Structure formats: structure tokens, C-alpha cells
Amino acid sequence: DAKTTQPNSMESNEEEPVHLPCNHSTISGTDYIHWYRQLPSQGPEYVIHGLTSNVNNRMASLAIAEDRKSSTLILHRATLRDAAVYYCILRDMGGYKLSFGAGTTVTVRA
Amino acid sequence: GAGVSQTPSNKVTEKGKYVELRCDPISGHTALYWYRQSLGQGPEFLIYFQGTGAADDSGLPNDRFFAVRPEGSVSTLKIQRTERGDSAVYLCASSLLRDPRNTGELFFGEGSRLTVL
């Protein structure tokens, strides 16, 4: 699996946006970019995914660089419930499993 | 509930004992995964089932670990002769084989925390 690189941790204030970067310079043309997050004492949960175009859903937005070697997960207004570990994962189009790295631990200050 | 259910939520055992961890996936999900998560690390893939068969067991660390899914629904992860290094949270996930939304989303349970003394 192609590797991703994320910062270990990020802090944010409540109600402010959070931009989580992910580098994936060895991404292949058939790799989707997936984001999951893991709240304390829970299993990971799906956040968003994309291939080439920017994506929005009710949880977040995903901005993908034109060369696809990096992406940014955007939480538009952080709440205390968004404090979690966020994982950026590459998954082949025909693939079935997710390979998790260490992720980015997001702390939200009230 | 409608989510992935894992039992027990916590298991404390002694070194050398046998342990079984159970996963009840979302109804209709044919794909089932087991992951292991040590403190401070991301989940590590163990095994993947399509239906009743293990399609990929490349993540099982050694032959003390075994998993079954005899009827294509509930799965059991079995660990023989447990060691202290087996202490971790064991996560189960399920998914549709053909996802109409094309997200490939895995739905995770809350995990079974195993402590080997």
C-alpha cells in the first residue's frame, strides 16, 4: 500500500476551522484517498473519500491537490465532539482493506 | 442495535490461556475484517472474510491466532496460549461487497479490549 504522512497532532479552538494535511507522494492513479476518524474508546468511523475532485459531505470537506500528492481534510467549525484521531488512508480502487497509520490527534479547546 | 456488535467488551486473562472474541456484523454485510490496535497506534489488519471464507489472513501474527466465520455472519477470533504482547483492542468491521454509494465504507464495532496478565 502507498504510504501517507500526517502530523502527529493538531490543536484547534471550538467553532474554528481545522485543516488536516496528508502527504501521499507515491499515490497511484487507482488509489482513492479515504479519511476515517476514531473518537475515544470507539472504533474508527468513515468521514469522507475522494479520487481527484474536491468532495463535500455533512461531516467535512476534502481538498485534493491537482497532482494528487497531497490532500487536506477540512472541518469547517470544530466542536468538542470532533476531538479524535484522524486517519488518512490510500485504498486501491479494487482493494478491500484499509491500512491505517498513526493518524493525527486533534484536540479542540473550548 | 444496527451496528457491529463485539463481545466481550473487556476480557482479562492469564498468560497461556485460550481466548475467544466474537463479532456480530451488520446484517447483510458479506465482508468482515478483524483488526488489532495497540495503545497509541493505528489499527493493524489481521484477517478479511468474504462470506464464510478467509480471503486474506496475511495479518495474523502467528499460528496462535485463528478466525472463523462458519455461516457467513458471526465471526470468532480465537487466540491460543495468550502472551502479554497480545494485549490490545481487537476491532471488527463489516462492509457491503457491492456498495451502492461506492464509498467502500467499513463499519467498525467498539472493540474488545484484551488484557493478558
Side-chain angles (χ1 to χ4, degrees), chain B residues 89-104:
Chain B
V89 175
Y90 289 81
L91 293 162
C92 177
S94 69
S95 71
L96 293 168
L97 207 51
R98 297 284 183 261
D99 176 6
R101 295 183 301 132
N102 200 33
T103 65

Side-chain angles (χ1 to χ4, degrees), chain A:
Chain A
D1 297 320
K3 184 176 168 55
T4 64
T5 304
Q6 300 178 251
N8 290 333
S9 61
M10 291 190 75
E11 289 191 355
S12 174
N13 294 317
E14 204 175 6
E15 306 277 316
E16 291 185 356
V18 182
H19 291 239
L20 300 176
C22 180
N23 288 320
H24 29 77
S25 58
T26 60
I27 190 170
S28 75
T30 56
D31 281 335
Y32 278 85
I33 301 158
H34 286 253
W35 284 82
Y36 278 70
R37 73 178 186 179
Q38 188 171 21
L39 302 171
S41 301
Q42 295 189 26
E45 64 175 350
Y46 169 85
V47 177
I48 200 166
H49 83 291
L51 184 63
T52 56
S53 303
N54 294 345
V55 185
N56 299 294
N57 66 21
R58 62 175 180 81
M59 289 182 72
S61 295
L62 176 60
I64 302 173
E66 196 169 335
D67 64 4
R68 298 208 328 123
K69 293 186 177 182
S70 65
S71 60
T72 302
L73 180 71
I74 302 163
L75 308 178
H76 295 286
R77 291 179 65 201
T79 69
L80 297 178
R81 285 198 70 253
D82 291 321
V85 179
Y86 287 77
Y87 299 99
C88 170
I89 303 163
L90 300 183
R91 187 183 191 187
D92 183 77
M93 193 175 290
Y96 51 85
K97 71 183 178 186
L98 299 173
S99 297
F100 291 82
T104 298
T105 299
V106 171
T107 305
V108 180
R109 293 183 293 254

Side-chain angles (χ1 to χ4, degrees), chain B residues 21-75:
Chain B
L21 306 175
R22 175 189 166 107
C23 173
D24 203 337
I26 293 172
S27 178
H29 282 193
T30 52
L32 185 144
Y33 308 74
W34 282 99
Y35 283 79
R36 176 170 73 173
Q37 186 169 26
S38 299
L39 195 62
Q41 298 182 20
E44 172 194 16
F45 170 80
L46 296 178
I47 188 169
Y48 160 65
F49 286 89
Q50 269 194 32
T52 60
D56 181 353
D57 64 358
S58 62
L60 294 178
N62 51 59
D63 61 6
R64 294 187 298 105
F65 288 75
F66 189 72
V68 295
R69 194 185 185 199
E71 298 178 358
S73 179
V74 170
S75 176

